[in-house]
Amino acid sequence: FSPLIKNFFKTKTSVWMSHEDAVIKLPKNFKTIAYTKDSKLTIVENTKKKIYGVQFHPEVTHTLNGKQIFKNFLFLICKIKKNWNVISQKSRLIREIKNTVKNEKVICALSGGVDSSVVALLINKAIKKNLICIMVDTGLMRKNEFKHTYKIFKKKYKLNVKLINASNIFLKNLKGISNPETKRKIIGKLFIKIFEKESRKYKKIKFLAQGTLYPDIIESKSSTGSKTSKIK
């Protein structure tokens, strides 16, 4: 019995699998906890080193009861004692932002994604109009999605946000490019260039706000051993 799956398999369950990358050989001192017809190493563990691996996405709603995996890892395996809740975390973060920023201004690159949106809304709660958000429309989102997102930030949440329509520039530079990594680098460099150009219009900006999650750092870690990480 593995503590990672306690109360997870109540009945037959569905999970959101990842079949793009797969572990095909079990590492030394690991054992298989669960498998599917197409994935023989769906859940593995090394109890001695307390290393656990899953091939599916427990964090998404498509995985039934996926939160139980996280609860088991945190409370049964890592022995963490829960002394927080969402409301107290929100209040603490807002208070820390106020204490750090004080009366200074903050500039934020707001993409409309979860990471930067959460950061922008938290900072807005703390310092209001001293937050300046810049949204760069790359033209790479779904039709009208970017404009709709901008209106929500502007009208519903009252963010101090500036919209830059740069879709023509991005599409022109991506024309004829098929390699995903090349595309990523073109998009990243263009975004920084446009964001920096717009940022120069604002004076006395002391802080830059960036919304990113730790998985971005893990995914972007250098394979050559470099200590720096290229955030997506």
Side-chain angles (χ1 to χ4, degrees), residues 35 70 113 125 131 133 143:
Y35 61 90
F70 291 103
K125 287 277 187 182
L131 170 66
C133 295
K143 186 177 180 180

Side-chain angles (χ1 to χ4, degrees), residues 110-169:
L110 179 55
S111 69
V114 174
D115 302 356
S116 63
S117 297
V118 170
V119 165
L121 292 173
L122 280 171
I123 297 174
N124 185 61
K125 287 277 187 182
I127 63 173
K128 303 297 182 186
K129 293 298 180 181
N130 275 346
L131 170 66
I132 301 161
C133 295
I134 296 176
M135 294 186 74
V136 179
D137 186 357
T138 63
L140 302 174
M141 295 178 75
R142 290 171 292 190
K143 186 177 180 180
N144 296 325
E145 185 176 27
F146 202 87
K147 288 181 180 178
H148 177 67
T149 306
Y150 169 75
K151 286 181 181 178
I152 291 175
F153 287 131
K154 189 79 172 176
K155 294 182 178 181
K156 182 176 180 178
Y157 294 109
K158 311 297 182 186
L159 289 186
N160 180 16
V161 56
K162 174 75 179 291
L163 178 62
I164 308 297
N165 187 352
S167 56
N168 289 337
I169 301 172

Side-chain angles (χ1 to χ4, degrees), residues 20-51:
E20 291 298 318
D21 300 299
V23 178
I24 58 174
K25 184 179 179 182
L26 197 65
K28 186 180 178 180
N29 297 323
F30 276 77
K31 65 179 180 179
T32 304
I33 302 303
Y35 61 90
T36 70
K37 183 178 72 172
D38 299 311
S39 170
K40 302 305 179 185
L41 305 173
T42 304
I43 303 178
V44 299
E45 73 171 3
N46 181 322
T47 51
K48 188 175 182 180
K49 291 187 175 181
K50 292 188 177 180
I51 298 175

